[in-house]
Amino acid sequence: MENIRYFDNAATTRVKEEVLEAMFPYYTKEYGNPSSLYSIGRASKRAIEQAREQVANLIGANTNEIIFTGCGSESDNTALKGIAYAHKDKENHIITSKIEHSAILESCKTLEKQGFEVTYLNVDSNGLVNLEELQNAITEKTILISVMFANNEIGTIEPIAEIAKIAKSRNIIFHTDAVQAVGNVPIDVKELGVDMLSMSAHKIYGPKGVGALYVRKGINFERFLDGGHQEKNNRAGTENVAGIVGLGKACELSQKNLEKHIQHLSNLRDYYISEVTKKIQDIKVNGSMEKRLPGNSNISFKGINGEALLFSLDEKGICASTGSACNSGITSASHVLIAIGVQSDMASGTLRVTFGEDNTVEDVDYLIQNLIFIVNELRKKMDV
Ligand SMILES: *Cc1c(COP(=O)(O)O)cnc(C)c1O
C-alpha cells in the first residue's frame, strides 16, 4: 500500500538508508569469510571489529565484551542458558519477572524442565518490579537475575541500576534484556553495573536477524551454539558480516541522534496520549507515565475487540498492534496486562502504538482522527 502510517516500531523498524549503504559492499565486493586470511577475508574481519566498536560505544562497554548473535532472542537464550549451564553443578536458582519477553520466559521454562528453579517477580500496576520482593527472593542458590530494561508492550522502564546494585551485593550475575531500551534510553553498562545485556538490530533501524550480547569481562558462560571458533569461541557460525555492519552503523547513528530521537518520539507520544485521553471515553493508559520509553503508548478501550480495531485501522493504512508482535495470533490476554492487573474485558481492547523517527505530527493526527471514528463505530455495533 502506498500511504502506510507505521506505528509499530516496537515490533520492528525500517532499515535506514545509511545502514543499508554500509551493509551493501559486504554482499557484493567484500564477501570474504572473516576467518579467511586473504585480503577480502581480512576486510570482512575488520568490518566486524569496527561494528563491535560502534556497538560497544553506544552502551559504554569495552569492545572485547561484545558478542554478535543471530537476534535478540538468541542473546537472551545465550545469557540465561549459558549462565545456568555454567553453574549447574553448584547452584540452580534464577530470578526473573512476570512481564519478560517470551525469549526470556520460554528459556526459563526450558531450564525449569531441566531442574533449574525460577522465581517470577510480580510487578505493580505500572509494571515495575518491587526491589524488596527481589531481595527476599534471593537464596544461597541464586546464580542469575534477569529483568528487562524496558517492557515491549507497556514501555515501562525498570530500576536497572538498583537491581544491579542488589545483584552485586549478593554476588549474583545480572542480565537485562535491553532490546527495547537500546537506542531509546541512554545506557552505560559500567555506570549501571549490568553484567550482561541483550540487544537487537531490527529494533533500532538496523537489519533483522542480528543481535548482540554484552558480557562483562570475567563472566563465564557456556556457549549456546557449538561449532567453529568464531566470536572468540563464544558463538559458532560464519558471521553475518553485512548484518553485523548494519547493527554497528545503526548503533553509531543511534548514539549521534539519541537526544533528538528521544525528544521527537516523546513529543508524539505525549500528544497522542493526551488527545486520546481527551477525546475518547472509557479508556485506560497502561504502563508508567514517568518511567516510560519515549515511543511507547498502550491504551485499553472498554468494549472494543482489539483485533477488530486493528483490522479497521489497517483499512486506513495504519499499522499498530494489540500487544507484542511475537504473541499475535494468540487470543488470550497478554501476560503483561494480566501482571499489571488490567481486567480481561479491558485487556482485550488494547492498542499498542509505538512511534518512530519517521512519524510526523500529521501522521499522529491522522491516527487519532481514525481511531476516534473507529472506536465509536465499534462501540455502536456492540450496543445493538
Ligand atoms: C523484539 C524483542 C526481543 C527479540 O528480539 P529478536 O531480534 O526479534 O529476536 C527480545 N526482547 C524484547 C524486549 C524485544 O522487544
Side-chain angles (χ1 to χ4, degrees), residues 125-127 154-156 284-289 291-292 298 340:
S125 58
N126 284 326
I154 57 174
T156 298
K284 180 183 179 303
V285 181
N286 301 310
S288 168
M289 288 312 283
K291 288 163 187 158
R292 184 177 207 107
N298 185 298
I340 63 170

Side-chain angles (χ1 to χ4, degrees), residues 138-153:
I138 296 172
T139 74
E140 288 301 300
K141 296 201 156 197
T142 309
I143 45 176
L144 176 70
I145 297 170
S146 180
V147 174
M148 68 201 319
F149 206 119
N151 185 267
N152 47 308
E153 290 188 38

Side-chain angles (χ1 to χ4, degrees), residues 15-28 242 245-246 249:
V15 177
K16 282 184 179 167
E17 274 83 11
E18 285 159 283
V19 171
L20 198 56
E21 261 169 46
M23 294 170 67
F24 206 62
Y26 298 94
Y27 289 119
T28 51
V245 167
K249 191 70 187 176

Side-chain angles (χ1 to χ4, degrees), residues 140-209:
E140 288 301 300
K141 296 201 156 197
T142 309
I143 45 176
L144 176 70
I145 297 170
S146 180
V147 174
M148 68 201 319
F149 206 119
N151 185 267
N152 47 308
E153 290 188 38
I154 57 174
T156 298
I157 298 170
E158 300 294 340
I160 296 304
E162 287 84 350
I163 297 170
K165 205 185 254 177
I166 292 169
K168 191 169 185 197
S169 74
R170 305 289 292 266
N171 212 13
I172 297 164
I173 297 165
F174 175 43
H175 165 258
T176 185
D177 174 345
V179 173
Q180 291 290 335
V182 169
N184 287 307
V185 180
I187 295 179
D188 185 316
V189 287
K190 305 291 174 194
E191 228 168 75
L192 289 166
V194 169
D195 295 313
M196 302 175 96
L197 177 147
S198 300
M199 59 193 283
S200 178
H202 77 98
K203 305 282 174 80
I204 55 169
Y205 309 95
K208 293 165 183 65

Side-chain angles (χ1 to χ4, degrees), residues 35 37 91 121 142 151 176 187 198 209 211 214 216 232 243 253 269 281 289 310 323 348:
S35 299
L37 297 177
E91 301 120 340
L121 299 173
T142 309
N151 185 267
T176 185
I187 295 179
S198 300
Y214 157 75
R216 187 171 61 75
K232 296 216 183 85
L253 295 174
R269 174 199 65 191
Q281 304 286 306
M289 288 312 283
L310 281 192
S348 58

